[in-house]
Amino acid sequence: MTARQPLFVGGSWTEPDGGHYEVIDPATEQPVGWAPEASRDQVLAACAAAREAFGPWSRTPPEERAALLGRAAAVIRENLPEYAELSRAETGATTGTARGLQVGVAAARFRRYARVEPAEWAIPPQINEAGPMGRAGVMGALAVRQPVGVVACVTSYNNPWANPAGKIAPALAMGNTVVVKPAPQDPLSVYRMAEALEAAGVPPGVVNVVSGRSTGVGEAAVASPDVDMVSFTGSTAVGQRIAEVCGRGMKRQLMELGGKGAAVVFDDADLGSAVAGIGTTFSFYSGQICTAPTRVLAQRGIHDRLVDQLAAYASRLKVGDPREPDTVVGPVISAAHRDRVESYVELGRKEGAVVVTGGERPDLPTGFYVAPTLLADCTNAMRVAREEIFGPVVVVIPFDDEEEGVALANDTDYGLIDYVWSGDVARAFRVARRLRAGGVGINTVGRNMEAPFGGFKRSGVGRDVGSYALHAYSEVQAIVWPG
């Protein structure tokens, strides 16, 4: 078990006022380490340190900021085995996921924002008619991206490397400073990220990390008068509360919230591809992922075959110790969350759904495991079809024709990522354009990491990833002059 972790405030490793709490391995139920509990005053001190560092950092040439991010990526790569083992222990992710999709993606995101991109672009000259301010003339203009200021980054538990890196790297690249409040379940990995940035030469106060189980830690960061923007990944309910605070202070927001992704599978779909894609809900972070295709809309011509193949796929997945190389499904993050997921499966039974496979607790000596579960004979009115379960549970709903499929897909409070499987590419694109979601995958669950990412409706506000993240962590300023 690691030593008692200090906070990282103003470039110094600081003992927490609130003591420490245990971080638990969800596979073994044993302590991983001791995480610090920050006080409200320490959170505000971190925000003040970020405010003080903002001026010098924002004036640092973009090439120097980019070089620092590149060095941080190198440090993360050099320590990948150690970092991945900690991440596996904190989250319950399989070793392959921890190495490739957690730590590996974090390093890639720091490398991505080590590329310097133009912060200004010319706007075509415009001939203005005479007005109250003077005679007609030709006006030139530039649009310039300026940093927002101090960004509070409140991150999710399902990926303590890729998620914080996706906020910190573009924010720093744009000249912002950050205060990171990691999820209480797995904050130790974020402190290792801070160490990597410190080793890369980040100036004091540019990056600060404060953690705690108390909701007051995040609330203090969000409400701090030194914070100009909040970047949050998590549930819609918490996002709404953060947005209310941001609204009162006119703080900028970037919100990646819940999802209940529809997978619309047509009669002419490649069922093998659809099953493999939908099946990632069972295995990828054990279903603890907002982009998962958890709500399957199956056209009646293939409905029964799709249900049978999904059930067979789920039953073949090994559930167990994430350290074992053949394990596909690890535990969920905590006993409380396991209970929550199981309660939804029981609710589905009461609502009339048929548990085709799963639905029982795996017979394992330790760990917070949920068996991959498939619920059929569902309707879109059921709570299991409307609410985010955040576990390895898939519901299947039949539909007759394209119009009904689109209507069912859009009949949801969420709109993060939907999916379409069809052998008719023209129809797939036509349907995709009608779906009210921030992203749509056609015959794939893969992502293009330069494409904008974010949600419609209650799934979020704003877009990040690629160049879109640079826009998200900046203000656009217009500079106009007579031509």
Side-chain angles (χ1 to χ4, degrees), residues 149-174:
V150 176
V151 182
C153 301
V154 184
T155 67
S156 60
Y157 70 73
N158 59 349
N159 195 324
W161 280 93
N163 184 261
K167 299 177 187 299
I168 295 168
L172 297 187
M174 277 307 310

Side-chain angles (χ1 to χ4, degrees), residues 121-377:
W121 60 98
I123 297 172
Q126 178 178 334
I127 300 175
N128 291 346
E129 297 180 0
M133 300 302 293
R135 60 186 177 82
V138 178
M139 304 300 292
L142 282 175
V144 181
R145 283 200 300 254
Q146 299 276 18
V148 177
V150 176
V151 182
C153 301
V154 184
T155 67
S156 60
Y157 70 73
N158 59 349
N159 195 324
W161 280 93
N163 184 261
K167 299 177 187 299
I168 295 168
L172 297 187
M174 277 307 310
N176 302 285
T177 56
V178 298
V179 177
V180 186
K181 192 279 175 186
Q185 297 92 334
D186 49 13
L188 300 177
S189 289
V190 183
Y191 285 105
R192 301 291 80 74
M193 190 180 301
E195 287 178 355
L197 285 158
E198 183 184 38
V202 69
V206 171
V207 174
N208 307 268
V209 184
V210 290
S211 60
R213 290 178 296 182
S214 167
T215 58
V217 175
E219 290 170 354
V222 169
S224 167
D226 286 315
V227 167
D228 302 290
M229 174 180 172
V230 176
S231 177
F232 172 69
T233 301
S235 72
T236 296
V238 175
Q240 286 177 303
R241 295 199 295 271
I242 290 174
E244 290 171 0
V245 176
C246 289
R248 290 195 293 271
M250 295 303 294
K251 299 176 191 282
R252 300 296 178 262
Q253 304 168 46
L254 179 60
M255 299 275 187
E256 193 240 301
L257 307 177
K260 192 71 175 177
V264 186
V265 185
F266 286 98
D267 285 346
D268 61 353
D270 178 337
L271 287 193
S273 171
V275 168
I278 296 163
T280 61
T281 301
F282 303 129
S283 56
F284 193 44
Y285 301 139
S286 301
Q288 299 167 114
I289 184 74
C290 53
T291 59
T294 56
R295 191 167 53 107
V296 177
L297 308 178
Q299 197 165 16
R300 291 191 187 276
I302 50 88
H303 174 274
D304 293 350
R305 282 185 292 146
L306 181 60
V307 168
D308 290 344
Q309 290 185 32
L310 279 171
Y313 182 95
S315 65
R316 291 194 298 267
L317 301 178
K318 179 185 174 182
V319 181
D321 188 339
R323 293 169 295 188
E324 297 295 330
D326 59 340
T327 293
V328 179
V329 183
V332 296
I333 195 66
S334 66
H337 189 58
R338 177 187 58 190
D339 292 346
R340 179 180 182 274
V341 175
E342 289 177 341
S343 73
Y344 268 105
V345 175
E346 183 59 29
L347 173 63
R349 284 192 176 102
K350 292 177 180 177
E351 290 181 310
V354 174
V355 180
V356 182
T357 190
E360 74 288 338
R361 184 174 295 185
D363 184 18
L364 293 165
T366 62
F368 311 128
Y369 293 95
V370 176
T373 299
L374 181 67
L375 303 179
D377 290 352

